[in-house]
Coordinates of all heavy atoms in Angstrom, one line a residue:
M401 N 20.7 5.6 5.5 CA 21.9 6.0 6.3 C 21.6 6.0 7.8 O 20.5 6.1 8.2 CB 22.3 7.5 5.9 CG 22.8 7.6 4.6 SD 23.3 9.4 4.3 CE 23.8 9.3 2.7
P402 N 22.7 5.8 8.6 CA 22.5 5.9 10.0 C 22.2 7.3 10.4 O 22.5 8.3 9.6 CB 23.9 5.5 10.6 CG 24.8 5.4 9.5 CD 24.0 5.4 8.2
D403 N 21.6 7.5 11.5 CA 21.1 8.9 12.0 C 22.3 9.9 12.0 O 22.1 11.0 11.6 CB 20.5 8.8 13.4 CG 19.1 8.2 13.3 OD1 18.5 8.2 12.2 OD2 18.6 7.8 14.3
S404 N 23.5 9.4 12.4 CA 24.6 10.3 12.4 C 25.0 10.9 11.1 O 25.3 12.1 10.9 CB 25.9 9.6 13.0 OG 26.2 8.5 12.2
E405 N 24.9 10.1 10.0 CA 25.1 10.5 8.6 C 24.0 11.5 8.2 O 24.2 12.5 7.5 CB 25.1 9.3 7.7 CG 26.5 8.7 7.4 CD 27.6 9.6 7.1 OE1 27.6 10.3 6.0 OE2 28.5 9.8 7.9
K406 N 22.7 11.1 8.5 CA 21.6 12.0 8.2 C 21.8 13.4 8.8 O 21.5 14.4 8.1 CB 20.3 11.4 8.6 CG 19.9 10.2 7.9 CD 18.6 9.6 8.5 CE 18.3 8.2 8.0 NZ 17.2 7.6 8.7
R407 N 22.3 13.4 10.0 CA 22.5 14.8 10.7 C 23.5 15.6 9.9 O 23.4 16.8 9.7 CB 22.8 14.6 12.1 CG 21.6 14.2 13.0 CD 21.9 14.3 14.5 NE 22.9 13.3 14.9 CZ 22.6 12.0 15.3 NH1 21.4 11.6 15.2 NH2 23.6 11.2 15.6
K408 N 24.6 14.9 9.4 CA 25.6 15.6 8.7 C 25.0 16.2 7.4 O 25.3 17.3 7.0 CB 26.8 14.6 8.3 CG 27.6 14.3 9.5 CD 28.7 13.3 9.1 CE 29.4 12.7 10.2 NZ 30.4 11.6 9.8

Side-chain angles (χ1 to χ4, degrees):
M401 291 181 181
D403 287 341
S404 59
E405 270 313 289
K406 289 178 194 172
R407 284 191 294 274
K408 288 178 191 175

